[in-house]
């Protein structure tokens, strides 16, 4: 089963928890707000199977619930990420 991820950048507080446990999935912009490295936060590229545990740890550890994980893409890569 594939999982897709994006960060709700409106609720992210930039605490650093997701990047700590899943540095291959998450990074931070100049303001310290997290985004998915996989596809620029579009939620269109599946998380590699070997990173699924890291993804779950990051989602579970996010204090604001900003990490959104779904079994279907949030958008296509042709659509602009928010």
């Amino acid at each position: 089963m594939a999982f897709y991820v994006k960060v709700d950048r409106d609720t992210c507080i930039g605490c650093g928890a997701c990047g700590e446990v899943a540095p291959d999935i998450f990074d931070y912009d100049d303001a310290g707000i997290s985004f998915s490295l996989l596809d620029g936060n579009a939620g269109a590229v599946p998380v590699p199977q070997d990173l699924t545990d890291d993804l779950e740890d990051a989602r579970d550890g996010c204090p604001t619930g900003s990490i959104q994980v779904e079994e279907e893409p949030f958008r296509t890569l042709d659509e602009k990420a928010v």
Side-chain angles (χ1 to χ4, degrees):
M1 173 183 313
F3 292 103
Y4 298 84
V5 63
K6 73 175 192 170
V7 176
D8 181 341
R9 297 174 49 78
D10 291 330
T11 60
C12 176
I13 60 173
C15 72
C18 60
E20 186 72 28
V21 298
D24 294 327
I25 301 174
F26 300 101
D27 200 2
Y28 306 92
D29 64 15
D30 291 339
I33 302 300
S34 180
F35 66 93
S36 168
L37 283 169
L38 302 175
D39 55 16
N41 211 51
V45 173
V47 175
Q49 188 69 33
D50 62 326
L51 297 178
T52 300
D53 288 342
D54 291 347
L55 173 65
E56 291 176 8
D57 289 345
R59 180 190 60 203
D60 293 346
C62 180
T64 60
S66 297
I67 298 173
Q68 302 172 352
V69 178
E70 296 290 338
E71 293 178 9
E72 297 290 329
F74 289 90
R75 64 184 74 244
T76 67
L77 285 178
D78 294 334
E79 295 176 283
K80 183 179 177 186
V82 177

